[in-house]
Amino acid sequence: ARDQALKKASLDGVLTKEMISAILAAQNFSMPAGSLTDQGQELLVKVGDRFQDQGEMEDLLLFDTGDQAIGKIYLRDVATVTKKDNSSETYARVNGNPAVILTFQKQSNFSTAQVTGAIRDKADELEMSLEGLSVTALMDQGKYIDIVVDSVLNNLIYGGILAILVLLLFLRDIRPTFIIAVSIPISLVFAIAMMYFTGVSINVISLAGLALGVGMLVDNSIVVIENIYRLRLEGVPTKEASVDGARQIAGAIISSTLTTASVFLPIVFVQGISRQIFTDMGLTIAYSLLASLIVALTLVPMLGSRMLEKSSGKKSRLFSGFTRGYSRFLGWSLKHRTIIILAVVGIAALSLVLALSLGTSFIPDMDAPQMSLSITLDKDASREELIDSTEAVIDRLLTLEGIDTIGAFEGGLMSGVGFMGGGRGQNSMSLYLLLDQGKRLKNKEMERQILAATADLEVEISVSSSNMDISALSGSGIEIMVKGDNLDTLQTMARDLGAILQEVEGTIDVTYGQEETLTELRILVDKEKAMARGLTVAQVYAEVSSAIGQGRTSSSLSVENKDYPIIVLEDRTLDLDKRELMDLQLTGRQSDEEIKVRLGDIAGMTQGSGLASIRRDQQQRYLSVTAGVDTEHNIGLVSRDFERRIKDYELPAGYRIEIAGENQVIQDSLKDLSSMLLLAIAFIYLIMVVQFQSLLSPFIVMFTIPLAFTGGLMALFIMGYEISVISMLGFLVLSGVVVNNGIVFVDFTNQLRQSGLSKREALMMAGQTRLRPILMTAVTTILGLSTLSLGVGMGSEMLQPLAVVSIGGLLYSTLLTLIVIPVIYDLLHRDKTLPETEKGEA
């Protein structure tokens, strides 16, 4: 009888985990219920309040037994309320020390460099005030931006100095050199002021525009001062020489400036990332050229009238000899036009053939003081194995010279915050490396050393050369989207395509959806058997979910402005395996009585695979098959190989494949740029038609553009660069710059023919007279870009292809402009005298 009494007094069955969870959620409650009006004033009615501290939660009344002996039952009577430190559940180490990771993102309207600078200052302040605290910036885009900006600024200064030295070499007189040197800072200040008023920030792209422009800034001034200087040496008085020299050349330089600036007009027809990148550069170049034009037509003649009164007119024997040699070759070329044209066409065809063998990329990789890598283990590996493997990798990395700091974080903690190389799932670890600035290797070389040092470890390691690579904008590697309805068919197709992708030379880290799948245990309830025992499928689900759903949050407790989740656990926590799950006792009803029903008696179990998440694009399900491309191969060539291999792949009806990823972004951007290029060439031609008041002279000048492209493609091939968005931008700029020499040459030839010279005489005279300014403007622009093309300074790698294309195109087109343009002029102008329509503005 005593045992029976104790059994009846037990709270088993009365107090359950579910009941306590429900009471906690219902009592820890505060919500607005509505409003009422009292004496004309509207009052908000709020019901309840939340727990203030742990003690209040322990004092929560669960129920009153109504029995004087037992009394009221409180939470503290039936449960132990404890705080659990779960920091060990997250692995985070910096140089072996436990760490807490903080990530900061700026608002869109603030400067990255300013925000990161403010964060660094605050971190230094905290380190001073809190003993034992050490803050390490594993990833600082602001510092990186500062390094790159400084690098481009230095290149700009070097380019300016080299341009001035070239002028001194050509003119052999300090006075005209000083006049032109003065025009550089004035034009730059004007350009920066215009950038400020139109909201163009100082960034890598806009500074690249200035660096590219610094060589071109002096072009207009060179042409003007050289013409004034020439007239002065012929004995014309200083003031007249200044006025006439500027007037003679004004039409040509206005036209040439407008053609260079107009190449960026088609940006208005381009969308997306291409527009964002090119707008800043286009505006910067346009502003600097506009400033140089104003300076060349106002300040330069004024200074010339004052400073060129005592011109010595020193002549260089070397240059005089070069001019004589050029005249002889030009005379021979005019007599053998067919040979010259065939040779030029042959070289152009060769450059196109070589261009087809070049790969493609979005934006070249840049060296950075930081790198990242992810360590991935099989799905079956335990967390302890992951941590052990990570520490083994860190030990290997510490043996390498050049690595200063290593931070390790579990999973993709830093992925999704705009960083490269984040872990790819639960069984992965992200490592972030700070490189020693004093002993720095190139990032690609460091990547090779890391992979070699960890090659024998049984882990998958993926290295990103730069955490702040701008190519992150384009995604990375190859991505194939397999679209359709049936998930099983999608998975089969993804596996097939993944297998094909693995066979393509150069692919690494091939994934085809298996990382996103979970193993599913599917419990299939026999509805008839279950109903015979008073159970529905929904009831079976509820009881199974309750049994295996340990550790779910019931509510939350706010203490000192921090929220802590409240989790209700039973002492006899179920830790079921598959067999025990089928032995689970459910509560059914039969003949109005409760009965216990074994799950295995009313349900069967099957095993399958299911997706961790279902993705949709344009309302259609899809799976992604992805692959990286190793450092030895090019994304464009690898993608081309893959596309060739899947041509014969048979698609099931209603399913399709879309190729996305970096290669698609590259192709879209290059397509945009090609359209811009065609429009730019049309604008250039129309501007020249207005200037020459003729269709034929501009047509002759346009032949400089294919010459420039031939030189640019040859330079890319010789230097081993791919065709990228940046190199295409070089071709765009080239198309506006190279016509300038052609305009000056043709315009002066027309002027000479108007003065009575025959066609051949005018061409020979124009060649000799314009040789020096054409060579000077080309050499100053080439030297202005030379430091960028050599990759001087961190971050200049991004702009190297642009500089290489510009230098190659300018070098080739300048030399051939002096030969090919006279030949084509001679070929197309059959008349002996210049028609009235081609008198131009001169």
Side-chain angles (χ1 to χ4, degrees), residues 83 95 104 207 239 254 268 284 290 368 393 414 452 507 513 830:
K83 271 188 188 177
N95 287 345
F104 299 92
L207 279 175
K239 287 186 180 177
I254 289 169
V268 297
T284 310
L290 180 62
V393 170
M414 287 177 83
T507 56
R830 300 212 174 265

Side-chain angles (χ1 to χ4, degrees), residues 658-735:
E658 283 183 18
I659 295 178
E662 185 180 356
N663 197 52
Q664 193 60 42
V665 175
I666 291 167
Q667 288 183 0
D668 290 345
S669 298
L670 293 181
K671 191 176 172 185
D672 283 346
L673 269 172
S674 301
S675 304
M676 279 177 68
L677 204 51
L678 291 171
L679 272 173
I681 290 168
F683 284 144
I684 289 165
Y685 182 71
L686 292 172
I687 288 167
M688 288 194 294
V689 166
V690 172
Q691 199 257 326
F692 284 108
Q693 296 181 23
S694 156
L695 295 175
L696 186 58
S697 290
F699 182 69
I700 294 167
V701 174
M702 293 298 281
F703 279 92
T704 56
I705 294 176
L707 293 178
F709 288 1
T710 301
L713 288 171
M714 297 292 270
L716 280 181
F717 181 79
I718 292 165
M719 297 297 288
Y721 285 105
E722 306 105 347
I723 292 176
S724 63
V725 170
I726 298 295
S727 60
M728 282 293 285
L729 190 55
F731 286 111
L732 185 69
V733 174
L734 260 184
S735 60

Side-chain angles (χ1 to χ4, degrees), residues 51 56 99 122 181 308 362-363 393-394 446 457 627 834:
F51 296 138
E56 188 179 337
K122 182 57 73 175
L308 297 182
F362 185 67
I363 288 174
V393 170
I394 291 170
M446 181 62 78
L457 298 175
L834 187 69

Side-chain angles (χ1 to χ4, degrees), residues 52 84 177 223 297 336 382 456 507 533 656 820 834:
Q52 297 302 310
K84 185 187 174 189
T177 305
V223 174
L297 292 177
H336 301 86
S382 67
D456 60 324
T507 56
R533 292 165 175 79
R656 59 197 174 97
V820 177
L834 187 69

